[in-house]
Short mmCIF file of all heavy atoms in Angstrom, two decimals:
data_model
loop_
_atom_site.label_atom_id
_atom_site.label_comp_id
_atom_site.label_asym_id
_atom_site.label_seq_id
_atom_site.Cartn_x
_atom_site.Cartn_y
_atom_site.Cartn_z
N SER A 316 -23.31 12.56 31.24
CA SER A 316 -23.43 12.96 32.65
C SER A 316 -22.78 11.85 33.58
O SER A 316 -22.72 10.71 33.24
CB SER A 316 -24.84 13.14 33.04
OG SER A 316 -25.52 11.98 33.22
N PRO A 317 -22.19 12.29 34.61
CA PRO A 317 -21.55 11.35 35.58
C PRO A 317 -22.53 10.16 35.92
O PRO A 317 -22.11 9.13 36.10
CB PRO A 317 -21.15 12.18 36.73
CG PRO A 317 -20.95 13.54 36.20
CD PRO A 317 -22.03 13.67 35.17
N GLU A 318 -23.81 10.50 36.16
CA GLU A 318 -24.74 9.46 36.42
C GLU A 318 -24.84 8.48 35.39
O GLU A 318 -25.01 7.25 35.64
CB GLU A 318 -26.14 10.11 36.83
CG GLU A 318 -26.15 11.04 37.96
CD GLU A 318 -25.58 12.47 37.64
OE1 GLU A 318 -25.60 12.82 36.48
OE2 GLU A 318 -25.02 13.00 38.54
N ASP A 319 -24.92 8.84 34.15
CA ASP A 319 -24.99 7.89 32.99
C ASP A 319 -23.75 7.19 32.82
O ASP A 319 -23.83 6.02 32.35
CB ASP A 319 -25.35 8.65 31.70
CG ASP A 319 -26.77 9.35 31.73
OD1 ASP A 319 -27.58 8.84 32.55
OD2 ASP A 319 -26.97 10.26 30.94
N LEU A 320 -22.62 7.80 33.06
CA LEU A 320 -21.33 7.07 32.96
C LEU A 320 -21.30 5.79 33.89
O LEU A 320 -20.72 4.76 33.49
CB LEU A 320 -20.14 8.01 33.24
CG LEU A 320 -18.79 7.45 32.93
CD1 LEU A 320 -18.69 6.97 31.56
CD2 LEU A 320 -17.75 8.56 33.17
N ASP A 321 -21.76 5.91 35.07
CA ASP A 321 -21.74 4.70 35.99
C ASP A 321 -22.60 3.59 35.30
O ASP A 321 -22.08 2.49 35.32
CB ASP A 321 -22.43 5.08 37.35
CG ASP A 321 -21.43 5.83 38.21
OD1 ASP A 321 -20.20 5.56 38.07
OD2 ASP A 321 -21.88 6.55 39.07
N ALA A 322 -23.71 3.88 34.75
CA ALA A 322 -24.45 2.83 33.99
C ALA A 322 -23.68 2.24 32.86
O ALA A 322 -23.71 1.07 32.59
CB ALA A 322 -25.82 3.35 33.55
N LEU A 323 -23.02 3.13 32.11
CA LEU A 323 -22.21 2.67 30.96
C LEU A 323 -21.10 1.77 31.40
O LEU A 323 -20.82 0.77 30.64
CB LEU A 323 -21.65 3.82 30.13
CG LEU A 323 -22.68 4.61 29.33
CD1 LEU A 323 -22.07 5.91 28.82
CD2 LEU A 323 -23.33 3.86 28.29
N LEU A 324 -20.43 2.20 32.45
CA LEU A 324 -19.32 1.34 32.92
C LEU A 324 -19.89 -0.10 33.48
O LEU A 324 -19.14 -1.05 33.34
CB LEU A 324 -18.64 2.03 34.14
CG LEU A 324 -17.73 3.11 33.70
CD1 LEU A 324 -17.18 3.89 34.82
CD2 LEU A 324 -16.54 2.70 32.84
N GLY A 325 -21.15 -0.06 33.97
CA GLY A 325 -21.67 -1.29 34.51
C GLY A 325 -21.96 -2.28 33.37
O GLY A 325 -22.04 -3.47 33.61
N ILE A 326 -22.25 -1.83 32.16
CA ILE A 326 -22.60 -2.67 31.00
C ILE A 326 -21.40 -2.74 29.98
O ILE A 326 -21.68 -2.92 28.80
CB ILE A 326 -23.85 -2.33 30.32
CG1 ILE A 326 -23.86 -0.87 29.84
CG2 ILE A 326 -25.08 -2.57 31.42
CD1 ILE A 326 -24.95 -0.55 28.97
N VAL A 327 -20.25 -2.56 30.44
CA VAL A 327 -19.10 -2.43 29.60
C VAL A 327 -18.86 -3.62 28.59
O VAL A 327 -18.34 -3.41 27.52
CB VAL A 327 -17.74 -2.22 30.43
CG1 VAL A 327 -17.32 -3.47 31.07
CG2 VAL A 327 -16.65 -1.59 29.55
N THR A 328 -19.47 -4.77 28.90
CA THR A 328 -19.28 -5.85 27.99
C THR A 328 -20.34 -5.82 26.86
O THR A 328 -20.25 -6.59 25.92
CB THR A 328 -19.44 -7.23 28.66
OG1 THR A 328 -20.74 -7.28 29.37
CG2 THR A 328 -18.36 -7.41 29.69
#
Side-chain angles (χ1 to χ4, degrees):
S316 75
E318 297 78 28
D319 293 340
L320 186 55
D321 279 332
L323 289 172
L324 288 171
I326 60 168
V327 74
T328 59

